[in-house]
Amino acid sequence: MGRLIEIATMQGLPPVLDVCIGDLLVFNASGAHVLAGAEAVALLGSFMKSVVGDSQQVLSPAGPPNAVVFLVQRSGLAKISIVTGSPWHGTKTTALELAITVAP
Amino acid sequence: MNDNEARLYEALGKIAEAANAALGCIKDHDHSEAGGAMCCTPKSLPARLHAKAASVACHMNPVNAPFLMPFGQIGAAAQVLEPQRIAVLTSKYWGARARRLTVSFMEPTPANLRAKIISHLNAWTRTGGISFVETAGIGKIRISTGSGGYYSYLGTDVLLIPRNRQTMNLEGFTMNTPDSEFRRVVRHEAGHTLGCPHEHMRQSLVARIDRQKAYDYFLRTQGWDPATVDAQVLTSLDERALMATPADQTSIMCYQLPGSITIDGRPITGGSDINASDYAFIGKIYPKVAAGLAMPESAAMPSDDWDESEDVDADLDDD
């Protein structure tokens, strides 16, 4: 069964993160790239976290995307970069390697 | 009595009407003083002048525009907006009455940081009638300094956000954050809480951006697909949904965009603090009024009428 792995901050992450096929990775970030291993991991996109308000409508705040989502698809190695900070005033890019195995 | 004297007399009369209405004195106007204090009753215009009155009202103060948008017969008249700055989404507008919005924090936050953030939220009160005050309970405005970037829900939307969720995010703000960031970010997010959208999404600013260059730039720097770029940068706001002004690229609500993505090569400079036009605009749509003088909800007013040949054209020019 795939796992939804929420990663709030890039601080404290190991240089290589062990994940499994079917995992969904959600980073608190404004953007991201797949640097290597595009067949192993797919960048689903950048999203704005939203809520269902008391009006029963989906409400989104004003601001840049604050979540990027990857789907782990095949075993192997992949390298991704995560963009945090403000897209308009200064960002920080952090690279992360993923070691992908089949779920036990 | 010359024209200026007549206009002054009319203005004084209107001030008297507003004051008397605020004091709850609703009686038919009676010039005689028999039976007590003189009171005045506001009157409404004849129906044939409603559209014209709406046009004048919008011209004089853009805050009048959202109340007139539903009236289809007004049409283009309601879109006549005086050149000024920034905008407020009409559907997120708090209303013209002064109000205080309570503020709380989602995580344990040092008292000096809480005070500093709130003081910057209240920067808008230099001219605006909406203020922010800390509460020990759960505030209408709930701020997190955790991860999630910088954002705020727009205007009255904050009232619909589940109480266990923040309405504003100021990731990483501490007492070590430069004062310039408090001015640039906290005041910007407070603008969203007041209902202001992003100024760089105004039609005239979006028109300056080279679409393909924007796609290439944000793909390279952010990994954004074209749809995300469209949503963040290239889709202009519906000007009919705004109380607004010509776009102002130095507004606190305007992001900075590089010249490498604009058609003319000049950057959209973006704002780093509330500017004079921002203050002026907020002062108009959220006026500061003295306590006790806020207008009560309007009741049905008696109508007056005169021969159509006596109708006049409003003098819309500034003195």
Side-chain angles (χ1 to χ4, degrees), chain A residues 8-98:
Chain A
T9 176
M10 298 303 291
Q11 289 181 348
L13 286 181
V16 180
L17 185 65
D18 293 326
V19 294
C20 299
I21 295 171
D23 286 345
L24 203 65
L25 308 181
V26 182
F27 293 85
N28 284 354
S30 61
H33 301 86
V34 177
L35 302 177
E39 67 286 351
V41 63
L43 173 61
L44 299 186
S46 300
F47 301 88
M48 167 59 77
K49 291 182 182 179
S50 302
V51 299
V52 178
D54 292 348
S55 60
Q56 298 183 326
Q57 290 183 313
V58 176
L59 296 174
S60 300
N66 56 5
V68 295
V69 183
F70 291 89
L71 177 62
V72 180
Q73 295 179 310
R74 288 195 178 88
S75 59
L77 290 175
K79 188 171 184 179
I80 62 176
S81 71
I82 305 299
V83 185
T84 53
S86 169
W88 327 110
H89 289 97
T91 56
K92 178 181 178 182
T93 302
T94 307
L96 179 67
E97 287 195 19
L98 303 175

Side-chain angles (χ1 to χ4, degrees), chain B residues 16 38 130:
Chain B
M38 183 185 300
I130 294 185

Side-chain angles (χ1 to χ4, degrees), chain A residues 8-9 28 30-33 43 46 48-55 59-66 83 86-89 91 93, chain B residues 147-154 157 159-162 165 184 189 192 198 200 218-224 228 232-233 255-257:
Chain A
T9 176
N28 284 354
S30 61
H33 301 86
L43 173 61
S46 300
M48 167 59 77
K49 291 182 182 179
S50 302
V51 299
V52 178
D54 292 348
S55 60
L59 296 174
S60 300
N66 56 5
V83 185
S86 169
W88 327 110
H89 289 97
T91 56
T93 302
Chain B
S147 63
Y150 304 142
Y151 65 77
S152 171
Y153 286 89
L154 283 170
D157 276 359
L159 301 177
L160 303 172
I161 304 305
R165 303 291 294 266
R184 185 180 70 79
E189 300 308 331
H192 286 319
H198 283 130
H200 63 270
F218 285 107
L219 176 64
R220 176 169 51 82
T221 59
Q222 293 290 320
W224 289 351
T228 302
Q232 286 290 316
V233 181
Y255 282 157
Q256 178 182 344
L257 295 172

